[in-house]
Amino acid sequence: NAGVTQTPKFQVLKTGQSMTLQCAQDMNHNSMYWYRQDPGMGLRLIYYSASEGTTDKGEVPNGYNVSRLNKREFSLRLESAAPSQTSVYFCASTGGAQAGTDTQYFGPGTRLTVL
Amino acid sequence: QKEVEQDPGPLSVPEGAIVSLNCTYSNSAFQYFMWYRQYSRKGPELLMYTYSSGNKEDGRFTAQVDKSSKYISLFIRDSQPSDSATYLCAMVSFGNEKLTFGTGTRLTIIP
């Protein structure tokens, strides 16, 4: 039981390049989330998916797209990376009926630098 | 004004001291309150969860909620060097799937 896994762990991009951050969970959870964490800003929600086939915007969705490929996997895509997207990205999942109040399990993070 | 305010610290205390970490919030709809602990270069993990005003104790940790003042606290007794981490408060309103996090307080326990 690996919990929530994220790939890659580190990535350096040049401005304008694209990439996809991968997330998978093996806990049979319904809801999955993508956050970014920046100094002094805390965790900010980018997108979330309440169930397979559904996605919704969070607080800071601009510049990102997501795909809920199946129940296990939730990917985050940067189509044209910008230096402002330099951050640590966390994926999380939760499985209860009250998704907002149940424990969110976080992955180890992806550290992204955009030059 | 942010919905959730949290002093970012850093906070350094000697081993064995009592630590108090705090958050204030402005949204009266928040009903569920959590504390997450995040070690350096790791993802956050849930430490405490409460939904009512008053105190909830778990070992050396006590979570306190005062809904009338829109103020929550986490107390750590007999602090240990292993408690050194960033502590994030989080809260959510009933039926909402999106947590709102504080910015986190970086805590160092000095041996």
Side-chain angles (χ1 to χ4, degrees):
Chain A
N1 188 340
V4 180
T5 56
Q6 292 183 236
T7 55
K9 288 187 169 52
F10 302 93
Q11 185 70 50
V12 178
L13 292 178
K14 294 181 180 178
T15 297
Q17 288 185 317
S18 62
M19 78 161 296
T20 299
L21 281 66
Q22 306 286 354
C23 174
Q25 51 89 9
D26 62 2
M27 297 174 283
N28 201 34
H29 284 171
N30 291 319
S31 300
M32 298 184 73
Y33 306 79
W34 275 106
Y35 294 92
R36 60 177 290 173
Q37 187 174 37
D38 304 289
M41 303 295 289
L43 281 164
R44 292 183 292 169
L45 183 65
I46 305 171
Y47 271 93
Y48 76 102
S49 171
S51 62
E52 185 179 350
T54 67
T55 61
D56 207 346
K57 295 178 181 179
E59 182 184 353
V60 288
N62 291 344
Y64 305 95
N65 285 301
V66 290
S67 295
R68 184 73 183 268
L69 304 169
N70 48 54
K71 192 171 186 179
R72 289 187 64 248
E73 298 172 289
F74 189 37
S75 62
L76 178 72
R77 182 160 178 84
L78 287 70
E79 291 290 352
S80 179
S84 60
Q85 294 178 304
T86 294
S87 187
V88 182
Y89 291 84
F90 288 100
C91 178
S93 72
T94 187
Q98 297 290 340
T101 57
D102 288 316
T103 302
Q104 290 196 11
Y105 294 88
F106 285 81
T110 294
R111 282 159 181 78
L112 175 67
T113 301
V114 183
L115 302 174
Chain B
Q1 182 190 5
K2 293 180 182 177
E3 280 192 299
V4 178
E5 299 278 359
Q6 184 175 9
D7 187 337
L11 181 63
S12 295
V13 301
E15 182 176 355
I18 295 175
V19 176
S20 173
L21 304 167
N22 310 295
C23 288
T24 59
Y25 62 97
S26 59
N27 187 347
S28 58
F30 288 143
Q31 293 183 310
Y32 301 90
F33 306 91
M34 300 105 175
W35 286 95
Y36 280 79
R37 178 175 61 195
Q38 184 178 20
Y39 290 114
S40 180
R41 295 192 171 273
K42 301 288 186 184
E45 57 181 349
L46 183 66
L47 187 62
M48 297 281 287
Y49 161 54
T50 184
Y51 59 88
S52 58
S53 284
N55 294 349
K56 180 178 180 180
E57 194 172 313
D58 184 2
R60 296 184 295 108
F61 298 89
T62 299
Q64 186 177 81
V65 174
D66 182 348
K67 290 186 178 179
S68 62
S69 301
K70 297 190 180 67
Y71 189 89
I72 68 170
S73 299
L74 178 71
F75 298 97
I76 307 173
R77 292 187 301 280
D78 187 24
S79 55
Q80 305 294 311
S82 59
D83 296 327
S84 297
T86 295
Y87 291 81
L88 302 107
C89 63
M91 44 200 80
V92 65
S93 54
F94 182 78
N96 194 331
E97 298 200 3
K98 297 179 279 189
L99 297 182
T100 300
F101 284 86
T103 54
T105 300
R106 188 155 58 97
L107 173 67
T108 301
I109 307 299
I110 304 166

